[in-house]
């Protein structure tokens, strides 16, 4: 991960109050190692302000933001399986799209492209492993997915000339995945994208854009994509979703520090984050249109999406010379060309100009990702919702 100098500037609004929550009864197979347990699970010891702090578990020490943690201890939950009980993957085996017969067209994947390498990481596998450490054309990355919040993010894993891998700590914050890096044993929060305990405390993650969509849509854009093989080295039934009806029922397994009941708790939405605040975009906004030009916290950007194709991405406003670019969607998410501007440039879903007078230019992706609706308020306060 390309870590900047340590800073305590929050990328989120940390909350401390606990509302009443509703437990969800799950159907868990005996061999399931996923994060499921009592909300009153064990917490880290209070005196853990060093890189080895995560190795200890103990009682709740009151939930103040101290003792070497940037988040309240009372809001950290032990998910159940313990550290590395959910095994992160490294350098996964890849196969070509035509070989991935285990995937259905409507299965969700997390897609990533770097230079000429295109890869898809299925939710089916993420549900059992949560973190995939990979390398594409020499770029060392970690793709993380939290099944309990439905959030998928990409992080660099090189810094100061060092390379790390990320593992699953077994802890949760606001029911969200808490990775740890194996170089320093520091603990991070996925949605907040920050190290909250250990040698790297206060350091923010260097993230990059990933695209969450269906296998069918991804293949339409990148028919030559590679995709993860089921040969992971672990015996799992990847056709089995380990959380029962969690994705469709409103109930949560663990409490969160702030509730927002304006929409279905598990609805998948695209959130754009600016200065610690979030604005959300729902699929219903992309039934009769494909582009929304918007401004939030004085930042101008476009949000591009399709409910039919099950994909939403967003980019900051782009100026070439004196021209502020305007875009139209072409090919309907059916090829690697997604957008065309008034100068004749064609752009892909990762914001790269693949042809035209400015070929090679990049649109800057917003700080954004997909996530279940309930997961935004605990980290960013009550979010704005486009059209709401």
């Amino acid at each position: 991960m390309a870590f900047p100098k340590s800073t305590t500037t929050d990328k989120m609004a940390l909350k401390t109050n606990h509302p009443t929550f509703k437990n969800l009864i799950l159907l868990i197979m005996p061999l399931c190692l996923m994060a499921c347990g009592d909300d009153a699970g064990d917490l880290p010891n209070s005196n853990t302000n060093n890189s080895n702090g995560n190795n200890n578990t103990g009682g709740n020490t009151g939930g103040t933001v101290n003792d070497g943690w940037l988040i309240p201890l009372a809001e950290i939950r032990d998910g159940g399986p313990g550290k590395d009980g959910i095994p992160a993957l490294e350098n996964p085996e890849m196969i070509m799209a035509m070989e991935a017969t285990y995937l259905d067209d409507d299965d969700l994947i997390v897609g990533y492209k770097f230079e000429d390498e295109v890869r898809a990481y299925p939710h089916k596998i993420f549900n059992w492993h949560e973190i995939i450490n990979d390398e594409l054309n020499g770029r060392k990355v970690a793709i993380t997915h939290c099944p309990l919040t439905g959030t998928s993010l990409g992080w660099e894993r090189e810094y100061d000339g060092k390379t790390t891998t990320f593992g699953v700590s077994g802890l949760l914050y606001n029911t969200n995945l808490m990775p740890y890096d194996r170089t320093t044993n520091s603990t991070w929060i996925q949605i907040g994208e920050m190290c909250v305990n250990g040698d790297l405390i206060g350091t923010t993650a260097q993230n990059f854009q990933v695209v969450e969509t269906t296998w069918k849509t991804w293949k339409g854009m990148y028919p030559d994509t590679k995709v993860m093989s089921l040969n992971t080295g672990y015996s799992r039934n990847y056709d089995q979703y380990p959380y029962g009806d969690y994705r469709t029922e409103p109930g949560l397994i663990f409490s969160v520090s702030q509730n927002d009941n304006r929409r279905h708790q598990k609805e998948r939405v695209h959130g754009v984050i600016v200065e610690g605040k979030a604005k959300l975009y729902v699929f219903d906004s992309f039934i009769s249109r494909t582009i929304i030009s918007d401004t939030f916290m004085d930042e101008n950007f476009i949000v591009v999406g399709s409910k039919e194709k099950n994909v939403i991405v967003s980019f900051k406003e782009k100026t070439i010379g004196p021209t502020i670019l305007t875009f139209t969607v072409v090919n309907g998410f059916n090829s690697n060309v997604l957008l065309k501007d008034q100068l004749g440039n064609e752009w892909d879903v990762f914001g790269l100009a693949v042809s035209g007078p400015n070929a090679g230019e990049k649109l800057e992706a917003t700080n954004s990702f997909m996530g279940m609706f309930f997961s935004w308020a605990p980290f960013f306060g009550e979010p704005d919702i486009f059209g709401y």
Side-chain angles (χ1 to χ4, degrees), residues 170-358:
L171 302 175
L172 299 167
Y173 175 63
N174 278 314
T175 202
N176 180 239
L177 167 68
M178 297 184 73
Y180 78 94
D181 71 85
R182 293 193 172 105
T183 300
T184 69
N185 203 26
S186 299
T187 309
W188 301 69
I189 47 178
Q190 187 213 31
I191 290 180
E193 298 189 277
M194 177 181 287
C195 180
V196 293
N197 175 256
D199 290 350
L200 299 176
I201 189 169
T203 303
T204 53
Q206 182 68 43
N207 63 14
F208 55 84
Q209 181 193 12
V210 295
V211 174
E212 181 179 282
T213 187
T214 63
W215 178 229
K216 181 179 181 179
T217 296
W218 184 253
K219 286 188 299 179
M221 292 189 291
Y222 296 105
D224 295 327
T225 184
K226 295 178 182 176
V227 61
M228 285 185 64
S229 164
L230 291 183
N231 184 21
T232 63
Y234 293 90
S235 177
R236 300 287 187 273
N237 181 359
Y238 293 110
D239 284 328
Q240 173 90 38
Y241 178 67
Y243 292 103
D245 57 5
Y246 180 82
R247 289 177 293 192
T248 56
E249 292 298 315
L252 305 181
I253 304 171
F254 298 92
S255 62
V256 292
S257 61
Q258 182 169 331
N259 288 323
D260 186 347
N261 297 314
R262 290 175 294 169
R263 298 188 71 88
H264 192 286
Q265 298 293 282
K266 307 299 176 54
E267 180 181 4
R268 291 173 56 244
V269 300
H270 181 84
V272 176
I273 304 159
V274 183
E275 297 181 7
K277 301 292 184 180
K279 187 167 186 176
L280 307 184
Y281 299 82
V282 303
F283 280 107
D284 284 348
S285 295
F286 297 97
I287 296 174
S288 59
R289 60 184 160 191
T290 53
I291 296 182
I292 295 170
S293 296
D294 205 2
T295 300
F296 178 58
M297 303 289 291
D298 296 323
E299 185 167 295
N300 300 321
F301 50 87
I302 62 168
V303 186
V304 186
S306 168
K307 183 172 183 177
E308 178 189 1
K309 297 293 185 177
N310 204 335
V311 60
I312 305 176
V313 294
S314 53
F315 301 98
K316 296 182 181 180
E317 183 178 82
K318 175 74 170 180
T319 301
I320 295 181
T323 304
I324 298 175
L325 298 185
T326 59
F327 299 93
T328 57
V329 171
V330 295
N331 300 324
F333 294 90
N334 291 317
S335 79
N336 70 320
V337 174
L338 174 64
L339 300 169
K340 188 171 184 177
D341 65 37
Q342 73 269 44
L343 301 180
N345 299 299
E346 294 183 321
W347 308 79
D348 70 9
V349 73
F350 288 96
L352 175 68
V354 295
S355 67
N358 303 105

Side-chain angles (χ1 to χ4, degrees), residues 28-29 31-37 79-82 85-87 125-130 145-148 236 241-243:
I28 305 297
M29 298 184 301
L31 296 179
C32 176
L33 296 177
M34 303 303 291
C36 55
I86 299 170
I125 296 177
F126 267 128
N127 289 333
W128 294 90
H129 298 285
E130 299 190 4
H145 175 76
C146 178
L148 297 183
R236 300 287 187 273
Y241 178 67
Y243 292 103

Side-chain angles (χ1 to χ4, degrees), residues 3-112:
F3 296 127
K5 186 176 181 181
S6 180
T7 174
T8 57
T9 302
D10 285 15
K11 297 180 70 177
M12 60 182 181
L14 296 177
K15 305 295 177 181
T16 58
N17 59 309
H18 270 284
T20 304
F21 70 99
K22 177 182 178 182
N23 283 324
L24 179 66
I25 299 175
L26 305 177
L27 299 176
I28 305 297
M29 298 184 301
L31 296 179
C32 176
L33 296 177
M34 303 303 291
C36 55
D38 190 340
D39 184 62
D42 289 339
L43 304 178
N45 271 337
S46 61
N47 57 347
T48 55
N49 59 353
N50 55 61
S51 63
N52 294 319
N54 266 355
N55 289 330
N56 303 316
T57 58
N60 187 334
T61 60
T64 56
V65 184
N66 57 14
D67 298 319
W69 289 81
L70 288 183
I71 55 178
L73 292 181
E75 297 181 10
I76 301 174
R77 295 288 177 263
D78 182 343
K83 190 173 185 178
D84 290 322
I86 299 170
L89 300 179
E90 296 184 31
N91 300 315
E93 179 181 310
M94 291 286 168
I95 57 178
M96 300 307 297
M98 66 182 66
E99 301 175 85
T101 55
Y102 73 93
L103 284 174
D104 297 325
D105 279 349
D106 60 353
D107 283 339
L108 290 174
I109 62 93
V110 180
Y112 179 54

